[in-house]
Amino acid sequence: MSKNDITGFPEWSPEECLVEGRILDQIRKTFETFGYTRIETRSVEPISELVRGGETEKEIYVVKRLHDDDGDESSRLGLHFDLTIPFARYAVQNLNTLSFPFKRYQIQKVWRGERPQEGRFREFYQADLDVIGRGQLSLWFDAELPLLLYETLERLPFPKVKICLNNRKIVEGFYRGLGLDNIAEVLRRIDKLDKLGERKVFDLLTEIGVSKEAATKCLEFSKIESHDETFLSSVESFGIKTPLLEEGLSEIRAVWSLLRDIPKEQKSINLRIARGLDYYTGTVYEGFFLEDSKLGAVCSGGRYDHLATLKSGEKLPGVGVSIGLTRILGRLFSQKKLPTVQKTPTQVLISLMNEESRLEALSTAKKLRARGIPTEIFHEPLKLGKQIEYASKKGIPYVWFSEGSKHEVKDIRSGEQKPASIETWQPSSE
Amino acid sequence: MSKNDITGFPEWSPEECLVEGRILDQIRKTFETFGYTRIETRSVEPISELVRGGETEKEIYVVKRLHDDDGDESSRLGLHFDLTIPFARYAVQNLNTLSFPFKRYQIQKVWRGERPQEGRFREFYQADLDVIGRGQLSLWFDAELPLLLYETLERLPFPKVKICLNNRKIVEGFYRGLGLDNIAEVLRRIDKLDKLGERKVFDLLTEIGVSKEAATKCLEFSKIESHDETFLSSVESFGIKTPLLEEGLSEIRAVWSLLRDIPKEQKSINLRIARGLDYYTGTVYEGFFLEDSKLGAVCSGGRYDHLATLKSGEKLPGVGVSIGLTRILGRLFSQKKLPTVQKTPTQVLISLMNEESRLEALSTAKKLRARGIPTEIFHEPLKLGKQIEYASKKGIPYVWFSEGSKHEVKDIRSGEQKPASIETWQPSSE
């Protein structure tokens, strides 16, 4: 990370930025091979919409012109804190020109005024995938998203991920079977299990009126995790049956059966996955690095059937996942798990013998660039040692020398220098 | 443009977003082949720094958490309005880990609370290139930037651009030779020539105490434009000679002599180019579309020798250019000058015969995607007509049919259907 005097607003070093750029390219590419199309929305939304979307008011960044007065409440603007709310709004506003189901990806910065701490930032990239349907949305997409998520993360230089699934209907059906009715409250507390531990969550549950017996059962239920369909017998062992629970089980089995391309050890059904946000209604996901579960979820999402509703009452149900890119990079950079070798994309530096040779150097550079080779021309005819030192400091692997029509290239890692042709020379990938 | 209820914060349709994405890819690629490396800075800066950078206070967007009090003046934050000020700050803060000359590109959104009007947005993308040196910076970079700018714009599906050069030293030297001393004031007024016209600018000049004679000369001088070195005799005809003027002329000749790769009709020396911002000290640039000069500058920049200064007094001189990407796209989309054909990157839609064939479809899709072909699977086994209609609406050119190991592909533009192999089939680029 670079030096920067505003806490929570991270900036990477050039080496890190280069890696981040390559990763963004790769993510976009994978998203697009699945037919998800690029969307960007404005950075601001009315604060009233943001609050409705479930963010606590105190974490919202208000935006206004320096000398504007506040205006009325409904027109006040805040920076978006996720990309789901803006996307649902975009879909509603452009209903008649969009084709449904509408599959999009959206990679943008979001802002949350959280207390800055390790791994929590106030400004960060999210890479989101969502599908929104009109009126209805096939359960198939609940399976496609973890498949695409797996594919995306596998192609990146990241540790292996494990994608965990649950379904809100299972959990809510179970809680109702226990006689509970403040479901959202219970879910929010169960969602804190990883952070607070069992005992504390037990207390939090009994504090809101859940009986000790029910709280124990909620905690036991949340321990069910399975890499195959054996979770069904674990659920049955509780002896609770409600229509909603049955519906959830049927959905999760259908989704699970389509995830064959994800290796067994990288997926699970995990009934602890609750997700804090209120708007999820069915499948929910969280992904973790197998070797670094302490980092918490690196991606998450779920099905939201009621987030967007038209004036006619028609629903636009959706399902989506989000990759917490900045969070992941922050961790991997600080653990030195992502190789950061070069400070520049440049592959070859054309050395400059004297001022007169500059037009010749320009012509050589032009030809190499036309073949896709990132090329710099050294800016002044300094001593060759100085020019090689510049390349070395920036991690540029090759230096090019010309004398008339004779060209040579030095690999400054090995020190080897060889004749080279402008038309055919290639940097080695090593 | 998409529908959106907040003026000045544009959102594109999916078709337009797809085009914007391709253009961003191409810009990054060209920037990198010249060895400029990717940097992103935080979106916020202390308001005190933004104001110092020359933005008028009323155009700055203040950012704060909903219930935070204001804090002291120095810690108040605003959204950045350009990428030059943040980059200079980044270079100073990371002085010891950066290698100079430091060449970077930065493509991010910026925010300006201007009165929204045609072609003016409050949130927009800028694509910036800058080089910063330590202590000094070779004049060579003043030439490299227009060369790279030209190369970048030529590779995009944009109208032909004309890049105009001037040098602040020429203008300032000339004004001093006329006996004027409020140079910044004069420059800001001359900068408005395109917007306000000669008569109005004449009045503005005399209002700040410039004599009628001097104002006339300033206006005459600003008319000098040349596609070759004949501008020198035009300058000499005014009979004014100052050391600063001579220095500027010598710099612009050196820069001009390196721009041979830009065709004659796409470059000029134009002494009207003033640039509004105070921090420019030498070369200044503006670029225009040859066939649409009414749009105003589509890119601009210049040399700034004093923007960043270390505590030791050492300067970090820089030179940079910025492409007003959103502005350009807004114009070209509204004039239908950028083809927007597809609503998705998908090249082929795999049709779904029945629920049982889904795993087979998944396997086909996986193989096509592995070969880099963006592929969607239709989500439900509806009637084939419905599936083809979906492809047609989204502009997906091909639909894939499978029966056992037999595969066929229909080109839905021509209606032609042919046998196809998963291993070798390619969408035609037509």
Side-chain angles (χ1 to χ4, degrees):
Chain A
M1 202 175 294
S2 273
K3 281 189 191 170
N4 161 0
D5 53 351
I6 304 183
T7 316
F9 291 77
E11 290 181 332
W12 309 129
S13 69
E15 297 91 314
E16 292 165 339
C17 275
L18 197 62
V19 171
E20 186 187 52
R22 297 285 176 268
I23 286 171
L24 286 167
D25 284 345
Q26 180 60 55
I27 292 177
R28 282 188 288 262
K29 199 174 151 189
T30 314
F31 286 179
E32 294 200 357
T33 62
F34 276 68
Y36 284 69
T37 200
R38 176 180 182 273
I39 287 291
E40 292 205 350
T41 58
R42 63 193 189 206
S43 300
V44 297
E45 298 291 336
I47 288 174
S48 51
E49 290 300 306
L50 295 174
V51 172
R52 210 175 62 86
E55 185 67 345
T56 49
E57 269 204 27
K58 67 179 194 307
E59 294 189 351
I60 294 174
Y61 279 109
V62 182
V63 170
K64 62 170 191 166
R65 291 203 294 160
L66 201 47
H67 301 296
D68 271 4
D69 46 19
D70 266 6
D72 65 305
E73 194 71 17
S74 65
S75 68
R76 288 165 64 214
L77 301 179
L79 293 171
H80 58 210
F81 62 84
D82 76 359
L83 304 172
T84 312
I85 310 284
F87 173 56
R89 189 259 315 148
Y90 179 91
V92 170
Q93 282 180 339
N94 296 284
L95 192 71
N96 295 321
T97 52
L98 298 178
S99 279
F100 292 91
F102 179 42
K103 305 163 70 168
R104 80 88 178 84
Y105 74 87
Q106 194 169 341
I107 305 177
Q108 285 181 254
K109 285 182 180 152
V110 304
W111 294 268
R112 291 185 195 172
E114 293 188 89
R115 192 166 58 82
Q117 48 183 308
E118 155 117 46
R120 295 274 167 189
F121 299 112
R122 294 181 149 193
E123 174 178 50
F124 52 98
Y125 264 117
Q126 285 201 334
D128 276 32
L129 290 162
D130 285 83
V131 193
I132 278 191
R134 189 161 178 176
Q136 54 178 349
L137 182 69
S138 165
L139 189 66
W140 149 246
F141 291 110
D142 294 54
E144 184 174 63
L145 285 174
L147 286 171
L148 172 46
L149 196 55
Y150 168 75
E151 193 72 23
T152 304
L153 295 168
E154 277 292 298
R155 291 190 195 181
L156 296 172
F158 289 170
K160 285 218 174 299
V161 75
K162 176 174 164 182
I163 297 172
C164 303
L165 264 75
N166 192 4
N167 191 304
R168 277 277 177 98
K169 291 174 186 170
I170 295 175
V171 186
E172 190 173 335
F174 179 79
Y175 294 165
R176 292 206 186 282
L178 285 177
L180 307 178
D181 50 10
N182 42 356
I183 308 293
E185 294 290 306
V186 176
L187 267 172
R188 257 198 294 277
R189 281 157 181 82
I190 292 287
D191 190 44
K192 291 185 176 146
L193 263 173
D194 283 342
K195 227 183 275 177
L196 305 177
E198 248 180 80
R199 171 156 297 193
K200 182 75 191 143
V201 170
F202 181 87
D203 292 345
L204 287 175
L205 288 173
T206 52
E207 275 168 22
I208 55 164
V210 178
S211 73
K212 284 185 180 175
E213 195 196 354
T216 307
K217 281 193 174 165
C218 288
L219 288 171
E220 282 306 309
F221 193 72
S222 75
K223 283 184 193 156
I224 296 176
E225 178 169 12
S226 161
H227 293 272
D228 53 41
E229 295 205 357
T230 58
F231 81 99
L232 281 173
S233 55
S234 310
V235 170
E236 278 165 12
S237 72
F238 282 83
I240 283 179
K241 238 182 163 168
T242 63
L244 196 62
L245 172 57
E246 293 305 309
E247 196 181 320
L249 291 173
S250 147
E251 285 185 9
I252 209 168
R253 286 175 66 187
V255 170
W256 187 254
S257 72
L258 294 168
L259 303 185
R260 293 194 195 174
D261 278 346
I262 307 178
K264 203 173 170 180
E265 64 281 12
Q266 289 186 260
K267 62 184 172 189
S268 84
I269 289 171
N270 184 331
L271 303 194
R272 202 187 69 250
I273 305 302
R275 305 298 307 135
L277 288 165
D278 288 346
Y279 54 65
Y280 292 119
T281 52
T283 311
V284 284
Y285 318 96
E286 282 190 3
F288 305 89
F289 285 147
L290 278 172
E291 61 184 56
D292 186 7
S293 59
K294 272 190 194 161
L295 177 58
V298 295
C299 53
S300 62
R303 159 77 74 149
Y304 45 91
D305 277 340
H306 313 304
L307 185 58
T309 306
L310 305 181
K311 277 180 192 148
S312 65
E314 190 185 14
K315 304 271 185 197
L316 301 183
V319 58
V321 291
S322 176
I323 301 173
L325 190 62
T326 303
R327 197 136 170 260
I328 294 173
L329 293 183
R331 184 72 152 209
L332 298 181
F333 284 144
S334 76
Q335 295 182 334
K336 309 226 175 291
K337 282 191 180 157
L338 278 174
T340 51
V341 181
Q342 293 197 215
K343 292 188 174 204
T344 162
T346 306
Q347 286 298 307
V348 57
L349 174 73
I350 299 183
S351 63
L352 196 66
M353 294 304 120
N354 47 55
E355 202 48 59
E356 291 66 44
S357 64
R358 200 186 287 274
L359 285 172
E360 184 61 33
L362 265 170
S363 150
T364 304
K366 192 175 182 173
K367 287 173 191 159
L368 292 172
R369 286 169 185 153
R371 297 205 287 112
I373 301 168
T375 304
E376 274 185 60
I377 300 168
F378 195 73
H379 47 284
E380 280 180 354
L382 302 183
K383 282 189 185 154
L384 275 184
K386 283 276 176 203
Q387 304 194 31
I388 292 171
E389 188 189 321
Y390 170 87
S392 172
K393 270 193 183 167
K394 289 210 172 176
I396 300 171
Y398 298 95
V399 179
W400 188 280
F401 305 95
S402 300
E403 221 190 305
S405 60
K406 258 189 67 192
H407 304 283
E408 296 202 341
V409 174
K410 185 189 192 82
D411 180 333
I412 63 170
R413 296 158 301 185
S414 68
E416 198 183 9
Q417 187 163 334
K418 281 196 276 193
S421 146
I422 302 179
E423 280 72 31
T424 59
W425 178 80
Q426 282 289 350
S428 109
S429 60
E430 196 73 8
Chain B
M1 203 176 292
S2 276
K3 282 189 191 170
N4 162 1
D5 53 351
I6 304 183
T7 316
F9 291 78
E11 291 181 332
W12 308 128
S13 69
E15 297 90 316
E16 291 165 339
C17 276
L18 197 61
V19 171
E20 186 188 50
R22 297 284 177 268
I23 286 171
L24 286 168
D25 285 345
Q26 180 61 56
I27 292 177
R28 282 188 288 261
K29 200 174 149 190
T30 314
F31 286 180
E32 294 200 357
T33 62
F34 277 67
Y36 284 68
T37 200
R38 175 180 183 273
I39 286 291
E40 291 205 351
T41 58
R42 64 193 189 206
S43 301
V44 297
E45 298 291 336
I47 288 174
S48 50
E49 289 300 307
L50 295 174
V51 173
R52 209 175 62 88
E55 185 66 345
T56 50
E57 269 205 26
K58 67 179 195 305
E59 294 189 353
I60 293 174
Y61 279 109
V62 182
V63 170
K64 61 169 193 167
R65 291 203 295 160
L66 201 47
H67 301 297
D68 271 5
D69 46 21
D70 265 4
D72 66 307
E73 194 71 15
S74 65
S75 68
R76 287 166 64 214
L77 301 179
L79 294 172
H80 56 211
F81 61 84
D82 76 358
L83 303 171
T84 311
I85 310 284
F87 173 57
R89 189 258 316 147
Y90 178 92
V92 170
Q93 283 179 340
N94 296 285
L95 192 71
N96 295 322
T97 52
L98 298 178
S99 278
F100 292 91
F102 179 42
K103 304 163 69 168
R104 78 89 176 83
Y105 73 88
Q106 194 169 341
I107 306 177
Q108 286 183 252
K109 285 182 179 150
V110 304
W111 294 268
R112 290 184 197 174
E114 293 188 90
R115 193 166 58 84
Q117 48 182 309
E118 157 115 47
R120 293 274 167 190
F121 300 112
R122 294 181 149 192
E123 175 177 51
F124 53 97
Y125 264 117
Q126 284 200 335
D128 275 32
L129 290 162
D130 285 83
V131 193
I132 279 191
R134 188 159 180 180
Q136 55 177 350
L137 181 69
S138 165
L139 189 66
W140 148 246
F141 292 110
D142 295 53
E144 184 173 65
L145 286 175
L147 286 171
L148 172 46
L149 196 56
Y150 168 75
E151 192 72 25
T152 304
L153 294 168
E154 277 292 299
R155 291 190 194 180
L156 295 173
F158 289 170
K160 286 217 176 298
V161 76
K162 175 174 163 183
I163 298 173
C164 303
L165 264 75
N166 193 3
N167 191 305
R168 276 279 177 97
K169 292 175 186 169
I170 296 176
V171 186
E172 190 173 333
F174 180 79
Y175 294 164
R176 291 205 186 281
L178 284 177
L180 306 178
D181 50 10
N182 43 356
I183 308 292
E185 294 291 305
V186 176
L187 267 172
R188 258 199 293 277
R189 281 157 180 83
I190 292 288
D191 190 44
K192 289 182 178 151
L193 263 173
D194 282 342
K195 227 184 272 177
L196 305 177
E198 250 181 77
R199 170 156 301 193
K200 182 75 191 144
V201 170
F202 180 88
D203 292 345
L204 287 175
L205 288 173
T206 51
E207 274 167 23
I208 55 165
V210 178
S211 72
K212 283 186 182 176
E213 193 197 355
T216 306
K217 282 194 174 163
C218 288
L219 288 172
E220 283 305 309
F221 194 73
S222 74
K223 282 182 194 157
I224 296 176
E225 179 169 12
S226 161
H227 294 272
D228 52 43
E229 295 204 357
T230 58
F231 81 99
L232 281 174
S233 55
S234 310
V235 171
E236 280 164 11
S237 71
F238 281 83
I240 284 179
K241 238 183 162 165
T242 64
L244 196 60
L245 173 57
E246 294 305 308
E247 195 181 321
L249 291 173
S250 148
E251 284 185 9
I252 209 167
R253 286 175 66 185
V255 170
W256 186 255
S257 72
L258 294 168
L259 303 186
R260 295 193 193 174
D261 278 346
I262 307 178
K264 202 173 170 180
E265 65 280 13
Q266 290 188 256
K267 63 183 172 191
S268 84
I269 291 172
N270 185 331
L271 303 194
R272 202 188 67 251
I273 305 302
R275 305 297 310 135
L277 289 165
D278 288 346
Y279 53 66
Y280 293 118
T281 51
T283 312
V284 284
Y285 319 96
E286 282 191 2
F288 303 90
F289 285 147
L290 278 172
E291 60 183 55
D292 185 8
S293 60
K294 273 191 194 159
L295 177 60
V298 295
C299 52
S300 62
R303 160 77 71 147
Y304 44 91
D305 277 340
H306 313 303
L307 186 58
T309 306
L310 305 181
K311 279 182 190 144
S312 65
E314 191 184 16
K315 304 271 185 196
L316 301 182
V319 58
V321 291
S322 176
I323 302 173
L325 191 62
T326 303
R327 202 140 165 257
I328 294 173
L329 293 183
R331 183 72 152 207
L332 297 181
F333 285 144
S334 77
Q335 295 182 334
K336 308 227 174 291
K337 283 191 181 158
L338 278 173
T340 52
V341 182
Q342 295 198 212
K343 292 187 174 204
T344 161
T346 306
Q347 286 297 309
V348 57
L349 174 73
I350 299 182
S351 63
L352 197 67
M353 295 303 120
N354 47 53
E355 204 46 62
E356 291 67 43
S357 64
R358 199 185 287 274
L359 286 172
E360 183 62 32
L362 266 170
S363 150
T364 303
K366 190 174 182 173
K367 287 174 190 157
L368 292 171
R369 287 169 185 153
R371 294 204 290 113
I373 301 168
T375 304
E376 274 187 59
I377 300 168
F378 195 73
H379 48 281
E380 279 181 355
L382 302 183
K383 281 187 185 154
L384 275 184
K386 284 275 176 204
Q387 304 193 33
I388 292 171
E389 189 189 320
Y390 170 87
S392 172
K393 270 192 184 166
K394 289 209 172 178
I396 300 171
Y398 297 95
V399 180
W400 188 279
F401 305 96
S402 301
E403 222 188 303
S405 60
K406 259 189 66 192
H407 304 282
E408 295 202 342
V409 174
K410 186 189 192 80
D411 181 333
I412 62 170
R413 296 159 301 183
S414 67
E416 197 184 10
Q417 187 162 334
K418 283 197 275 193
S421 146
I422 302 178
E423 279 72 32
T424 58
W425 178 79
Q426 283 288 349
S428 109
S429 60
E430 196 73 8

